[in-house]
Amino acid sequence: MTEMFRDKIDISLTVNGEPVEARVPAGQHLVDFLRGELGLTGAHASCEHGVCGACTLKVDGKAVRGCLMLAAQADGADVWTVEGLSDLGAIKDLQDVFVERNALQCGFCTPGMLVAINELLEAGGMPSRDQIREHLSGNYCRCTGYEAIVDAVESVARVRAHKGAA
Amino acid sequence: MKASAGGYARASSLRNALEMLAASDGNGRVLAGGQSLVAALNLRLSAGDVLIDISRLSELSGVTETQDGLRIGALTSHAEIGRNPLIRQSAPLLSQAVEFIAHAAIRNRGTMGGALAHADPAAEFPACVLALGATLHVEGLNGSRDIPVEDFFQDIFETAIEEGEILTGLSVPKAEPGEKQVIVEVARRSGDYALAGVCLVTRADGHRLSLFSVGPKPVLAEGAMAALDQGNIDGAVQALQAEIDPPSDTQASAAYRRHLAGVLLRRAAARIEGGNA
Ligand SMILES: Cc1cc2nc3c(=O)[nH]c(=O)nc-3n(C[C@H](O)[C@H](O)[C@H](O)COP(=O)(O)OP(=O)(O)OC[C@H]3O[C@@H](n4cnc5c(N)ncnc54)[C@H](O)[C@@H]3O)c2cc1C
Ligand code: FES
Ligand code: FES
């Protein structure tokens, strides 16, 4: 049995477009691996049981909880953090409007918010305020009261929808 | 907190997963979406398990049409259940339920099989498959078994899956023409577990009514079903009270849950009557 089950697992994956190889402990969360081993501290570890959304990452094209996925499970995966999405410029409009609308204060929840919103906006169309709220229902913000965040998402969605239509 | 795991291995096939489970001396834990299991490891509710990662077994994922129903693979994600056209058409209760389950990022990884095997009495899918009259398929090294849903959920977090077995999927009958299926619940925040919830299905041969978050396992409320068959909604609400034994906890008192169950039953019945189900 000891040969079957490992407490250190070799993984190779891409993170923000760059190949990464590592040996990770069996119980390590993906978000801790990114933060501790790769220095990508954008995604935050907070509640560590899936409730707050601060650890949200993009894995194989989908938003997932970085605290509910093991690093070992990311073998072969394509992982994007807020750093990578920022470098690509993929969320620049969103980031600008977050600043403009005061949609963040301390910024702790912001990386998780941006990754979650990115998934919603990539789906296309013009989400209603209710749909925006529903999509962000899994992301806590202890500062803003959410109204400014919903405003920001709505205005970016509107601009993107117009561009798409033009 | 940080997860504590006794080891990890990724299964290459169902057979391989079953062999690892057998070799784990009772310490093996199947890891599907991890949306409950990794949370439990993080909270140290569970420690020292060796994790058998089945999440990449494509043979256990997907929805197919059979002669009289749908077969849903255990690893089909909540998100996939939510957008699958076959499910929307033939088991709309499940599509509706997804909107109540957790949050988008969790639905991307959480699986139908994980939710059923986990058997949280507050979870939506167990009550849905009870209302639909599903059959659960499990497999062990010695072969496979089909378990009627009425025998599957046994107690809080306890199912008829035996040691060494893996849930491979489930079959649900296709909705008949004119059949209505409705799920309603009350939760404190969108995506949180419900304080109480109701699934109601109307078929030519009668109603099926199940409840969640009102006892140690999902409840098929047969007394209330019989009253509904007679068109007696007050009688159904009354019968329901004798069929549930809700817990009191920090979220809600037993009395409040009891009250909610009756309100939700009326709401579900009204939705079906109103034809917008
Ligand atoms: C913040 C949060 C909110 C949530 N809210 C809800 C909610 O409102 N409603 C709801 O229903 N759920 C909710 N969930 C739970 C979520 O739906 C989980 O995805 C689901 O319960 C477990 O599925 P999984 O695939 O992630 O299973 P895992 O976490 O991988 O496994 C759960 C358990 O089932 C066992 N298991 C998994 N697959 C199999 C199999 N094929 N055969 C045998 N055993 C198996 C595992 O060994 C483990 O014991 C929530 C979770 C979180 C983190
Ligand atoms: S840290 Fe992952 S959801 Fe809170
Ligand atoms: S900006 Fe502070 S938690 Fe959201």
Side-chain angles (χ1 to χ4, degrees):
Chain A
M1 140 171 178
T2 41
E3 283 161 36
M4 249 175 210
F5 301 105
R6 310 251 163 199
D7 52 14
K8 294 273 194 299
I9 296 95
D10 292 324
I11 58 173
S12 80
L13 64 161
T14 62
V15 178
N16 296 333
E18 307 269 343
V20 171
E21 297 205 349
R23 172 164 290 190
V24 297
Q28 185 172 53
H29 311 154
L30 181 55
V31 66
D32 281 348
F33 169 71
L34 296 168
R35 293 174 57 83
E37 302 305 314
L38 304 186
L40 294 167
T41 53
H44 293 146
S46 178
C47 70
E48 299 190 327
H49 63 284
V51 175
C52 75
C55 63
T56 309
L57 301 164
K58 186 175 180 185
V59 177
D60 293 332
K62 295 179 203 137
V64 308
R65 295 291 201 236
C67 71
L68 297 185
M69 179 166 175
L70 301 176
Q73 294 184 284
D75 185 33
D78 176 34
V79 176
W80 288 86
T81 68
V82 74
E83 289 91 343
L85 296 176
S86 300
D87 290 349
L88 282 184
I91 49 174
K92 174 149 198 328
D93 51 353
L94 198 54
Q95 288 164 316
D96 290 347
V97 175
F98 257 57
V99 173
E100 223 167 80
R101 299 258 181 172
N102 240 351
L104 74 161
Q105 290 178 42
C106 77
F108 187 82
C109 69
T110 313
M113 287 281 178
L114 293 172
V115 176
I117 296 162
N118 183 51
E119 178 176 61
L120 177 70
L121 296 182
E122 277 183 346
M126 181 63 215
S128 66
R129 283 182 81 82
D130 278 354
Q131 283 167 326
I132 294 168
R133 281 188 182 281
E134 168 59 34
H135 197 85
L136 293 180
S137 65
N139 291 70
Y140 278 132
C141 176
R142 295 282 88 142
C143 299
T144 71
Y146 304 103
E147 204 61 22
I149 295 175
V150 177
D151 290 346
V153 178
E154 194 181 30
S155 63
V156 172
R158 189 168 298 125
V159 171
R160 287 201 192 179
H162 274 229
K163 274 201 191 130
Chain B
M1 256 188 288
K2 305 304 175 191
S4 156
Y8 168 95
R10 191 197 298 166
S12 55
S13 65
L14 175 59
R15 177 87 202 168
N16 177 231
L18 290 170
E19 280 164 1
M20 291 201 276
L21 203 49
S24 69
D25 298 331
N27 296 317
R29 270 286 208 119
V30 172
L31 173 61
Q35 303 301 290
S36 293
L37 182 50
V38 177
L41 296 175
N42 292 353
L43 292 167
R44 298 281 165 105
L45 296 175
S46 178
D49 292 323
V50 293
L51 305 175
I52 299 164
D53 184 358
I54 61 167
S55 62
R56 306 266 184 106
L57 299 183
S58 50
E59 60 193 293
L60 294 188
S61 188
V63 181
T64 47
E65 218 164 352
T66 60
Q67 208 153 38
D68 49 357
L70 296 182
R71 185 169 171 131
I72 304 170
L75 289 179
T76 312
S77 70
H78 299 344
E80 170 59 23
I81 301 268
R83 63 176 167 250
N84 186 285
L86 283 175
I87 297 218
R88 200 160 284 275
Q89 170 93 47
S90 298
L93 188 63
L94 299 176
S95 335
Q96 293 172 43
V98 171
E99 293 170 27
F100 291 122
I101 302 176
H103 313 285
I106 292 168
R107 299 197 285 258
N108 280 337
R109 280 191 73 80
T111 68
M112 167 65 108
L116 298 179
H118 187 55
D120 189 316
E124 287 80 3
F125 279 153
C128 289
V129 300
L130 186 57
L132 294 175
T135 304
L136 289 298
H137 310 297
V138 298
E139 195 156 324
L141 277 180
N142 298 328
S144 57
R145 298 193 291 142
D146 289 343
I147 308 170
V149 67
E150 283 83 356
D151 303 333
F152 186 77
F153 299 106
Q154 299 189 333
D155 204 341
I156 180 158
F157 304 133
E158 246 183 73
T159 70
I161 303 175
E162 282 175 12
E163 197 165 319
E165 287 181 330
I166 288 177
L167 178 67
T168 55
L170 66 149
S171 299
V172 292
K174 260 188 237 170
E176 303 159 354
E179 178 170 328
K180 299 266 168 47
Q181 306 183 352
V182 170
I183 177 170
V184 288
E185 71 170 49
V186 170
R188 298 207 303 185
R189 163 177 81 145
S190 172
D192 280 356
Y193 281 108
L195 301 178
V198 160
C199 302
L200 183 58
V201 173
T202 63
R203 293 186 174 145
D205 64 356
H207 293 78
R208 282 187 64 97
L209 170 69
S210 71
L211 290 98
F212 49 104
S213 236
V214 295
K217 58 178 186 175
V219 180
L220 192 66
E222 295 184 34
M225 279 155 50
L228 287 174
D229 287 347
Q230 288 157 8
N232 181 359
I233 178 81
D234 291 331
V237 170
Q238 205 176 7
L240 186 63
Q241 299 303 328
E243 297 183 282
I244 58 177
D245 182 19
S248 276
D249 55 31
T250 53
Q251 306 261 318
S253 68
Y256 180 52
R257 285 196 159 91
R258 229 176 239 294
H259 171 71
L260 271 185
V263 171
L264 289 169
L265 173 53
R266 287 184 194 280
R267 236 177 244 178
R271 285 259 308 272
I272 280 182
E273 290 274 302
N276 59 348

